[in-house]
Amino acid sequence: MLSQCQFDGLVIGLKRTPETLNEFEDFWRDHQAWLKEQGYILNMRYSPNWIPSWTTFTTWITNGQWIKFGDCDVPIKRNFINAIRESDGEKVTLKRIHTPCFPAESSIAQFFSSEPLVSNPDNQCIPVYDVLRLPDDEDFEILVTPYYSWFRDPVCFSYGRLLNCFRGIIKGLQFMHHHDVSIDQVSYRGTEETRFYITDFSQCQYHLGHPPYNIWDYVYDISFLGRMLRSLFGNIFYYAPTCGAIGLVEKLTADMINEESFQHINMDEVMERFSYLTKSLCSWKLRARVRSYTESLHEGPCERLLNNVKHRWNIRLGPHFMEGS
């Protein structure tokens, strides 16, 4: 049986019929009025007297057309939901935290959101706008952050943008290590402004008073990051061989993962080697189109050529988003 701590973090893949709330959505429905008092407006799906908008049509909508209605959206994870900040209409993301399971998450998130750290350009941690403490359950808090989407959703359509995202991941983890915090599992998300952030601090630990890089948590961070980068390059995204995406970071990720070598690598060295590997890439390669692995399986030669030409045309005047190249 799963513990409460394990269960809270599971991705929800199953749901009942679209006109019925999932069990985990009941929390957001029950706190919809209270959140509105705090200045945050949830989707009308969570209103107490919600009636699915598609059921008001005289003819029943079939063949899954209900998915086009905004009030059929179900959160990807049980503890996350999007909202509108009433004061300025800005989209935000709300995250519910079970503090007995993750006692340091809120404090570490707020630590990196405080001055002078929040103004440091090397800080890639998601800023916290507000911390809401539930009036009916002291074991839970809600963090309010900028609205973000999951890693595969943002516009990472050029090779340079994707490398810049990875540069941010490395820079952000390096920044956290410099401030005596290990993260255990890197969770990275993108905002609507194509800014990427480290967003999950549930497994973070303070290491104040310990020399950096000589304890297991720092070493594990580097190993996990290496596996993550290798997985993203090799499994999620696909690149033309001329871009050299796999070979570009293969030796670096191999050293980060290798049990005989990663103990001798710290995040400063990872950042230095990544910058060295990418600084020689020309603009043509940085502007190359990124295709998902699934997309690459379904593209025929003619469609691929057409899409590549369209991609080059669309970004001909835009930046390639590779800092330091």
Side-chain angles (χ1 to χ4, degrees):
M1 180 178 294
L2 293 174
S3 69
Q4 181 65 31
C5 294
Q6 291 172 312
F7 187 70
D8 278 348
L10 288 179
V11 176
I12 301 302
L14 299 176
K15 58 176 180 284
R16 301 196 291 268
T17 54
E19 66 273 10
T20 306
L21 294 181
N22 286 275
E23 181 181 353
F24 76 92
E25 292 182 282
D26 292 344
F27 169 85
W28 300 110
R29 178 203 60 200
D30 295 342
H31 292 84
Q32 180 266 348
W34 177 76
L35 286 169
K36 190 176 188 303
E37 292 176 1
Q38 308 306 307
Y40 301 100
I41 310 299
L42 299 185
N43 190 304
M44 62 180 179
R45 178 181 179 86
Y46 303 104
S47 299
N49 300 317
W50 171 63
I51 299 176
S53 57
W54 59 90
T55 63
T56 60
F57 285 76
T58 55
T59 302
W60 175 253
I61 297 176
T62 58
N63 299 324
Q65 293 301 306
W66 49 267
I67 64 175
K68 296 182 179 179
F69 291 81
D71 56 336
C72 77
D73 290 338
V74 178
I76 296 177
K77 286 191 174 184
R78 61 171 52 241
N79 287 328
F80 293 82
I81 199 167
N82 297 325
I84 300 294
R85 187 164 58 189
E86 193 171 23
S87 61
D88 57 6
E90 181 180 348
K91 279 185 177 181
V92 295
T93 294
L94 309 183
K95 181 182 181 181
R96 181 178 58 159
I97 296 175
H98 189 219
T99 52
C101 287
F102 309 112
E105 180 170 7
S106 178
S107 61
I108 289 178
Q110 293 178 74
F111 170 66
F112 285 108
S113 293
S114 62
E115 292 292 354
L117 301 185
V118 71
S119 300
N120 192 314
D122 291 337
N123 185 358
Q124 306 294 308
C125 298
I126 190 80
V128 176
Y129 291 155
D130 198 0
V131 180
L132 308 177
R133 292 172 175 82
L134 299 183
D136 56 350
D137 193 338
E138 62 182 13
D139 286 342
F140 286 94
E141 293 181 348
I142 295 177
L143 296 186
V144 183
T145 68
Y147 169 78
Y148 55 81
S149 55
W150 307 104
F151 181 80
R152 303 184 198 189
D153 294 338
V155 184
C156 269
F157 57 78
S158 75
Y159 185 38
R161 271 189 176 176
L162 187 61
L163 287 177
N164 199 51
C165 172
F166 289 166
R167 175 187 292 272
I169 297 176
I170 296 171
K171 182 189 295 184
L173 189 54
Q174 179 189 35
F175 184 81
M176 295 181 73
H177 282 193
H178 285 173
H179 289 84
D180 304 312
V181 174
S182 65
I183 193 170
D184 189 62
Q185 295 184 13
V186 180
S187 183
Y188 219 57
R189 306 291 180 251
T191 66
E192 291 185 308
E193 294 78 24
T194 326
R195 171 75 189 272
F196 299 93
Y197 289 109
I198 295 173
T199 59
D200 187 1
F201 307 97
S202 58
Q203 305 297 324
C204 285
Q205 295 185 51
Y206 285 112
H207 299 284
L208 298 179
H210 292 275
Y213 311 123
N214 68 344
I215 57 178
W216 171 251
D217 291 312
Y218 291 118
V219 172
Y220 181 81
D221 279 355
I222 296 169
S223 178
F224 182 90
L225 180 59
R227 296 180 191 277
M228 173 184 168
L229 296 181
R230 174 179 283 180
S231 174
L232 289 171
F233 269 119
N235 299 325
I236 297 177
F237 297 101
Y238 175 85
Y239 307 88
T242 54
C243 291
I246 301 294
L248 181 69
V249 295
E250 181 62 31
K251 181 61 169 66
L252 174 59
T253 57
D255 286 346
M256 294 169 69
I257 295 168
N258 190 315
E259 293 184 359
E260 295 183 357
S261 63
F262 71 73
Q263 296 187 43
H264 305 291
I265 296 178
N266 60 43
M267 286 307 301
D268 293 336
E269 184 178 350
V270 172
M271 185 75 255
E272 181 182 354
R273 289 178 59 179
F274 183 84
S275 298
Y276 176 79
L277 289 169
T278 56
K279 69 179 181 180
S280 61
L281 292 175
C282 66
S283 177
W284 178 261
K285 286 187 176 181
L286 292 172
R287 292 171 185 269
R289 181 170 70 101
V290 172
R291 292 179 291 146
S292 69
Y293 179 75
T294 303
E295 185 181 11
S296 70
L297 295 177
H298 298 287
E299 270 189 334
C302 294
E303 184 181 8
R304 183 180 306 168
L305 176 62
L306 178 61
N307 288 336
N308 285 341
V309 172
K310 288 168 60 178
H311 168 78
R312 291 286 181 177
W313 175 260
N314 289 335
I315 69 167
R316 67 196 187 281
L317 298 178
H320 48 65
F321 291 91
M322 189 61 209
E323 299 173 356
S325 61

